[in-house]
Amino acid sequence: MASYYGPINLVSLNLGFHLEHHDMPAIAGWRLPALRRAAPEFYETHYRHKSRVMGLWRFVFDPGIGLN
C-alpha cells in the first residue's frame, strides 16, 4: 500500500491518503492531511506515489501488481 500527496487530492476527497485511512478508518477524509502532519514519523518512510495516474496505470498493466 502507498499514499499519494499531490494536487489531485484536492478534487478526489483526499483519496490519496491511503495509508492514513487504513490506520485510522474512522477519521473523516478531510482530516487525513492533519493526521499525516501530526504523525509524520509513521508515514515519511513508506513508499508514496509521485503520480496518481502512473499508480493506476501500473495497477492495471503491471502483472506483478494486483488484487492477490
Side-chain angles (χ1 to χ4, degrees), residues 24-45:
M24 302 280 185
I27 293 180
W30 63 273
R31 290 186 163 178
L32 292 173
L35 170 63
R36 184 174 186 277
R37 285 191 303 271
E41 65 274 11
F42 292 107
Y43 302 108
E44 289 183 356
T45 59

Side-chain angles (χ1 to χ4, degrees), residues 59 62-68:
F59 179 76
D62 187 339
I65 300 174
L67 298 174
N68 299 336

Side-chain angles (χ1 to χ4, degrees), residues 8-48:
I8 294 174
N9 282 326
L10 296 172
V11 295
S12 70
L13 304 173
N14 289 327
L15 289 177
F17 288 85
H18 192 79
L19 292 173
E20 295 81 354
H21 162 72
H22 282 275
D23 285 345
M24 302 280 185
I27 293 180
W30 63 273
R31 290 186 163 178
L32 292 173
L35 170 63
R36 184 174 186 277
R37 285 191 303 271
E41 65 274 11
F42 292 107
Y43 302 108
E44 289 183 356
T45 59
H46 290 279
Y47 178 79
R48 67 179 72 181

